[in-house]
């Protein structure tokens, strides 16, 4: 395999690592970028941009956000590959360690949210039934419950819970 194709493969893998780390958290992504900088003896700035492109150059320098960060001395291509493989092992370890508990917590939180949404939905249906019954009986003062139900949709946390539950169900049905 020639240098250019191997370097392209390395940079593609590097982008995959950055995306996986970003999926776990921004702090995980930043740790991964720091780790890459330490491995290649390059001082990389840690910035909280939504998207960060990192590319490894043939001589061991690193290009990040269209700026080249240079080493003190250039490396041979075989040294670049060796250091990348060392980084790759550390990155796999970091992502495995950081990502393993992440999904279990999200799954538990989503199930709890689904349960709370179900309780809220039952409460809303019961209050709507009570309001309709009060209206039919002529107890108009008790009709204030319908105003409270409708106004609760303006509270972001209630609306967000329903959206999160919807997205969770959609994601589970889609699998």
């Amino acid at each position: 395999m020639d240098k250019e194709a191997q370097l392209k493969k390395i940079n593609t893998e590097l982008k995959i690592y950055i995306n996986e780390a970003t999926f776990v958290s921004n702090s995980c992504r930043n740790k991964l970028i720091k780790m890459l900088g330490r491995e290649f003896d390059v001082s990389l700035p840690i910035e909280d941009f939504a998207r960060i492109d990192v590319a490894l150059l043939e001589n061991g320098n690193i290009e990040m956000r269209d700026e080249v960060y240079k080493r003190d001395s250039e490396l041979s291509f075989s040294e670049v590959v060796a250091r990348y493989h060392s980084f790759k092992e550390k990155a796999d370890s970091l992502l495995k360690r950081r990502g393993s508990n992440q999904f279990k917590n999200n799954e538990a939180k989503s199930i709890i949210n689904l349960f709370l949404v179900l309780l809220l939905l039952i409460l809303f249906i019961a209050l709507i039934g009570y309001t309709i019954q009060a209206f039919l009986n002529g107890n108009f003062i008790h009709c204030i419950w319908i105003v409270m139900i409708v106004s609760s949709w303006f509270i972001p946390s209630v609306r967000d819970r329903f959206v999160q539950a919807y997205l969770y169900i959609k994601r589970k049905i889609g699998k």
Side-chain angles (χ1 to χ4, degrees):
M1 183 182 276
D2 66 330
K3 287 182 182 180
E4 191 174 307
Q6 195 170 8
L7 191 61
K8 185 176 180 180
K9 181 182 177 215
I10 286 173
N11 284 327
T12 302
E13 288 178 0
L14 196 55
K15 286 180 183 180
I16 291 170
Y17 280 118
I18 298 292
N19 287 338
E20 284 182 25
T22 303
F23 183 70
V24 172
S25 70
N26 275 346
S27 67
C28 183
R29 179 196 66 189
N30 292 344
K31 282 184 181 184
L32 196 74
I33 291 172
K34 282 181 190 176
M35 195 181 340
L36 180 68
R38 278 193 306 267
E39 194 64 43
F40 286 92
D41 301 323
V42 175
S43 178
L44 295 174
I46 303 302
E47 301 164 337
D48 283 329
F49 290 107
R51 189 174 159 240
I52 294 181
D53 287 332
V54 177
L56 193 56
L57 302 178
E58 190 174 319
N59 57 3
N61 294 335
I62 297 175
E63 183 179 349
M64 187 168 87
R65 298 195 54 78
D66 299 328
E67 190 172 330
V68 177
Y69 296 93
K70 297 184 178 186
R71 297 177 34 83
D72 292 334
S73 62
E74 291 187 3
L75 297 174
S76 68
F77 189 70
S78 60
E79 288 177 310
V80 170
V81 172
R83 286 186 183 215
Y84 173 73
H85 286 297
S86 174
F87 162 77
K88 189 175 170 179
E89 290 173 9
K90 293 174 185 175
D92 285 335
S93 173
L94 175 72
L95 289 174
K96 185 176 180 183
R97 187 177 62 238
R98 292 291 298 266
S100 62
N101 294 334
Q102 187 74 17
F103 300 114
K104 292 177 185 172
N105 287 342
N106 281 347
E107 189 78 19
K109 288 178 183 177
S110 294
I111 291 172
I112 290 171
N113 183 49
L114 194 59
F115 181 69
L116 288 174
V117 165
L118 186 63
L119 287 176
L120 284 172
L121 197 59
I122 291 170
L123 180 67
F124 285 166
I125 290 171
L127 287 176
I128 287 172
Y130 177 75
T131 304
I132 290 172
Q133 184 181 14
F135 181 76
L136 294 176
N137 290 336
N139 297 332
F140 298 115
I141 195 70
H142 294 288
C143 292
I144 198 142
W145 286 106
I146 196 74
V147 173
M148 292 176 68
I149 293 169
V150 170
S151 66
S152 69
W153 288 103
F154 295 120
I155 300 172
S157 63
V158 173
R159 191 176 45 231
D160 289 344
R161 283 197 180 274
F162 277 90
V163 169
Q164 288 171 358
Y166 170 74
L167 292 175
Y168 173 72
I169 291 171
K170 185 178 175 183
R171 194 170 55 239
K172 284 300 176 180
I173 290 174
K175 286 184 178 180

